[in-house]
């Protein structure tokens, strides 16, 4: 009941926990903003978003029917029981509940509009036109982009003041102002503009060479954590059958690769596959330290569909990151969502 109503109201660059929207839409919105122009970036995170939302502010903003309003208020104030002790909930929304993400989006609705107001106030002064200011939010993570650092600093102050009304604040530890030439991480991706020569440079709308190229790829931190997870699985399966190891690893590899298949990920995929192959060869040799390398290789590796050195028992084969094709994501239209389309029909 609440979701279709608010889907018709939510701002175009809000992508987290919404029907028919994803992290890839947020990344594509950022790419559309900076692929033709370098900008300053406010990369921010809201501290304890789900835990600190002001109940009175949220209930007033919902403006729903009295009956539903009383139900939501009772649910917010219900508290919780831990080790036999009841704790009150005077603020925040319980994490793990199906309605909590929607209520969080309702509470944060208006941030982009506030940035639009800031953009309009820049008209006629020394700053760039209002279309150069971009705000993208995914749940409690957001970025603000503009060619002038002074505007970004001002946006940070305005957003901090706006969030105080909601009972929230920006996390100092996870918030920074940087430039697209230095790069920044958002939703597991690293977004950066690299200086390149004229033959690899991107071009502006009028055809002039920009001198840089915008690349979006898996962040180093997420890549490292992914490899460490795979390494832990291999280590914990030192005496397990080959089939068991393959079946445990395949969903991990395929899921991670699918998420990053919309970025410039081929080099990262190839590096991960090589590291995994090295670890697999060590896994095999430890199991048969008295056998020759030729015997070990023949037992555990095969040629599958033209791919050599595939870790396989002939039936179950380890998938590779490189098998996942790189496909450019098409961003959802800002004012469209499945809920709105259903209401229009």
């Amino acid at each position: 009941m609440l979701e279709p109503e608010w889907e018709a109201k939510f701002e175009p660059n809000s992508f987290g926990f919404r029907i028919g929207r994803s992290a890839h839409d947020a990344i594509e919105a950022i790419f559309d903003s900076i692929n033709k122009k370098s900008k300053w970036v406010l990369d921010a995170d809201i501290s304890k978003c789900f835990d600190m939302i002001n109940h009175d502010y949220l209930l007033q903003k919902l403006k729903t029917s009295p009956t539903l309003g009383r139900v939501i208020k009772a649910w917010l104030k219900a508290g919780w029981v831990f080790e036999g002790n009841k704790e009150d909930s005077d603020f925040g929304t319980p994490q793990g509940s199906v309605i909590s993400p929607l209520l969080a989006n309702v509470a944060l609705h208006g941030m982009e509009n506030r940035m639009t107001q800031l953009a309009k106030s820049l008209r006629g002064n020394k700053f760039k036109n209002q279309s150069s200011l971009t705000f993208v939010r995914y749940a409690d993570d957001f970025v603000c982009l503009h060619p002038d650092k002074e505007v970004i600093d001002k946006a940070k102050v305005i957003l901090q003041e706006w969030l105080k009304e909601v009972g929230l604040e920006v996390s100092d530890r996870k918030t920074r102002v940087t430039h697209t030439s230095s790069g920044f991480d958002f939703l597991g991706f690293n977004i950066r503009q690299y200086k390149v020569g004229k033959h690899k440079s991107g071009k502006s709308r009028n055809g002039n060479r920009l001198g840089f190229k915008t690349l979006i790829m898996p962040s180093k931190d997420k890549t490292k954590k992914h490899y460490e997870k795979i390494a832990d699985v291999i280590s914990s399966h030192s005496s397990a059958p080959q089939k068991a190891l393959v079946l445990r690893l395949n969903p991990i590899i395929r899921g991670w690769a699918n998420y990053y298949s919309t970025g410039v990920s081929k080099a990262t995929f190839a590096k991960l596959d090589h590291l995994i192959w090295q670890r697999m060869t060590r896994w095999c040799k430890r199991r048969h330290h008295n056998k020759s390398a030729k015997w070990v290789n023949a037992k555990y590796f095969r040629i599958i569909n033209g791919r050599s050195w595939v870790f396989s028992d002939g039936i179950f084969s380890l998938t590779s990151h490189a098998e996942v094709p790189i496909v450019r994501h098409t961003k959802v239209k800002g004012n469209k969502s499945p809920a709105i389309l259903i209401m229009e029909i």
Side-chain angles (χ1 to χ4, degrees), residues 196-215:
V196 293
K198 63 179 182 179
H199 297 296
K200 293 186 177 181
S201 172
K203 294 184 179 180
S204 64
R205 290 179 176 83
N206 56 14
N208 296 328
R209 289 187 175 89
L210 299 170
F212 64 81
K213 192 169 186 177
T214 303
L215 299 180

Side-chain angles (χ1 to χ4, degrees), residues 299-334:
K299 178 175 176 61
Y300 289 102
F301 294 93
R302 286 172 169 75
I303 298 176
I304 306 292
N305 296 329
R307 288 174 53 219
S308 58
W309 293 101
V310 178
F311 186 73
S312 172
D313 62 0
I315 300 175
F316 297 94
S317 304
L318 184 69
T319 190
S320 69
H321 296 79
E323 287 181 70
V324 178
I326 304 298
V327 181
R328 180 72 180 270
H329 179 75
T330 302
K331 187 177 84 69
V332 65
K333 291 183 179 179

